[in-house]
Amino acid sequence: MTKLIDGKKISQEIKEEIKLFCNKLKEEEKQLPGLVTILVGNNPASFSYVNSKAKTCNEVGMISKVEQLDESTSEDELISLIKKYNSDEKFHGILVQLPLPKHINESNIIKSIIPEKDVDGFHPVNVGKLVIGEDTIIPCTPYGIIELLKRYKIDTSGKHVVVVGRSNIVGKPIANLLLQKKEEANAIVTVVHSAAKNISYYTKQADILIAAIGSPNFIKADMLKNEVVVIDVGINRIEDKNSTKGYKIVGDVDFDEVSKIASYITPVPGGVGPMTIAMLLKNTLIAYKLLTNN
Ligand code: GUN
């Protein structure tokens, strides 16, 4: 029987844990954790992500602030604002929503956030620490995947994990995390990407498949072996005439087919997606604890 990995439920549990911690801080009249989110331009999807991050922060009792900047903001202006928050003790996490307008160099922006407040875990210092297995801030989506595997007691040690996709946000960090010589990792990891001539050759070998490619319903049942564990990171909009919105959200995995052969599978929506925000709050809490010794 295929089991569903319920990211909505687990993310709720994590948010409750964070809320309890914030309530305790309030009772003790201590400073609360603060997250500032910076959005440049008016991409509707980014706008909706940023607002839902701010709303969730408030729900758990954290301080949250959204800086919405005009599309024409220069790289220097954005860096000046980040520097202001680097030294603002009210905020322990700084998140700049990506993608940025084309005239702004993403890498310069990521590097301008001090690593201690980089709750995305994208700064080269944090990426380097992750690769060499040191404690650091882990990017939210890979952190969410690790947490789902842990809470569902899915053992990764000695298992063949096949990651499809090599982005800096998901593919590369999750591959590096799972190959660490640690109890909750210790996997044999293969990373497959668009240059592979025969993706199925690799995916068929997976004990655990992680799909992060951004291509709707790309992974089919005949690309996998029976009893595979499937983690679907995709969030793709496809046309749906039956929906009032005119579209529906699907993953990178063809859920209808694959759920018939998998041992575990994350649904979309309600799998990895809700975990990303929960882990952002967790990262903000980690940054807060390190910066304040609370
Ligand atoms: N845009 C899409 N995903 C992310 C993310 O995880 N962090 C940031 N900062 N921007 C994103």
Side-chain angles (χ1 to χ4, degrees), residues 53 95-99 120 122 141 169 276:
K53 285 168 187 171
L95 182 142
V96 178
Q97 186 66 27
L98 304 177
D120 262 325
F122 294 165
T141 303
I169 296 184
T276 299

Side-chain angles (χ1 to χ4, degrees), residues 170-229:
V170 185
K172 285 180 198 158
I174 192 64
N176 277 290
L177 282 166
L178 286 171
L179 69 79
Q180 298 299 325
K181 196 169 180 177
K182 291 183 183 172
E183 208 182 313
E184 68 278 17
N186 212 21
I188 320 303
V189 181
T190 299
V191 182
V192 195
H193 48 77
S194 51
K197 292 206 169 60
N198 182 359
I199 287 188
S200 288
Y201 168 79
Y202 303 97
T203 53
K204 271 186 182 155
Q205 298 175 42
D207 299 314
I208 300 172
L209 181 103
I210 301 178
I213 29 183
S215 185
N217 298 324
F218 180 86
I219 303 286
K220 306 286 182 192
D222 66 2
M223 297 166 73
L224 300 167
K225 65 180 180 190
N226 282 337
E227 297 294 303
V228 60
V229 172

Side-chain angles (χ1 to χ4, degrees), residues 16-34:
E16 283 303 319
E17 291 160 17
I18 296 171
K19 195 172 174 177
L20 281 177
F21 186 86
C22 290
N23 283 344
K24 200 162 151 278
L25 290 175
K26 262 185 223 156
E27 277 167 23
E28 292 168 2
E29 297 185 348
K30 287 194 174 142
Q31 189 192 5
L32 292 170

Side-chain angles (χ1 to χ4, degrees), residues 29 45 77 83 100 127 134 138 198 205 218 233 239 270 285-286:
E29 297 185 348
E77 283 168 330
K83 283 189 174 156
L100 288 165
V127 175
E134 284 187 10
I138 299 170
N198 182 359
Q205 298 175 42
F218 180 86
V233 183
E239 193 183 311
L285 198 59
I286 291 170

